[in-house]
Amino acid sequence: MEIKQLEFFLAVCSSGSLGKAAARLYTTQPNVSRVITALEGELGHPLFERTTKGMRLTPFGKTIYEHAENIRQNVRLIADAAAGKKQGRLSVSTYPSNMLSQLLVHLHKRYPELIIEHRQGTVEEISSQVAQGVSEVGILYVSQRQRKHFAG
């Protein structure tokens, strides 16, 4: 498995189609398709369901997505360390919220050297991203009904 394959995989995940991923990666759709097919062959499981509306992650693909994001973040950290960069980095996972997005923009304006990665998701996705180290901070609202799942 190569990092390039994971980059292609993540590009398809975020764009939802091979064509859009190809444009983002400055390559062709057949090339993206070949890389994804090779990765699926190597892993022994399909990562995507091919639909008329694009590509949708399979349950196995969702599991691999979390790990691939973590690898991408670690590759960035290694590259930054090798380059001797002293920039701070903050990874935050939140609910989709205009208010939180505006606060992060304000934080970036105040500290322009700070690199902020903002992910949005559900309670489960936010919790998983923080637990796996994909995000350092998770901001979420937990209702009384949901609190029993967080006790421990």
Side-chain angles (χ1 to χ4, degrees), residues 26-50:
Y26 301 104
T27 188
T28 64
Q29 181 272 331
N31 187 40
V32 174
S33 182
R34 274 191 297 276
V35 170
I36 295 300
T37 300
L39 180 59
E40 288 175 324
E42 189 173 334
L43 295 174
H45 297 279
L47 297 167
F48 295 100
E49 293 176 30
R50 279 94 170 145

Side-chain angles (χ1 to χ4, degrees), residues 70-131:
N70 200 12
I71 290 168
R72 177 168 45 187
Q73 180 180 358
N74 287 326
V75 166
R76 283 187 202 140
L77 292 172
I78 291 168
D80 289 351
K85 292 184 179 178
K86 303 282 188 210
Q87 296 174 325
R89 183 179 298 270
L90 174 65
S91 294
V92 181
S93 291
T94 70
Y95 279 128
S97 164
N98 287 338
M99 183 183 74
L100 288 171
S101 296
Q102 290 171 359
L103 288 171
L104 292 172
V105 167
H106 178 72
L107 180 65
H108 179 67
K109 285 180 180 176
R110 183 159 184 191
Y111 302 99
E113 71 283 355
L114 181 64
I115 297 171
I116 301 172
E117 294 177 349
H118 181 214
R119 293 176 177 78
Q120 296 180 345
T122 64
V123 171
E124 293 81 11
E125 290 168 336
I126 294 167
S127 300
S128 175
Q129 289 167 353
V130 172

Side-chain angles (χ1 to χ4, degrees), residues 62-74:
K62 289 178 183 176
T63 300
I64 299 305
Y65 175 81
E66 298 286 336
H67 297 302
E69 275 291 346
N70 200 12
I71 290 168
R72 177 168 45 187
Q73 180 180 358
N74 287 326

Side-chain angles (χ1 to χ4, degrees), residues 5-19:
Q5 290 174 305
L6 295 178
E7 289 172 353
F8 278 45
F9 168 71
L10 291 170
V12 174
C13 290
S14 64
S15 67
S17 81
L18 295 171

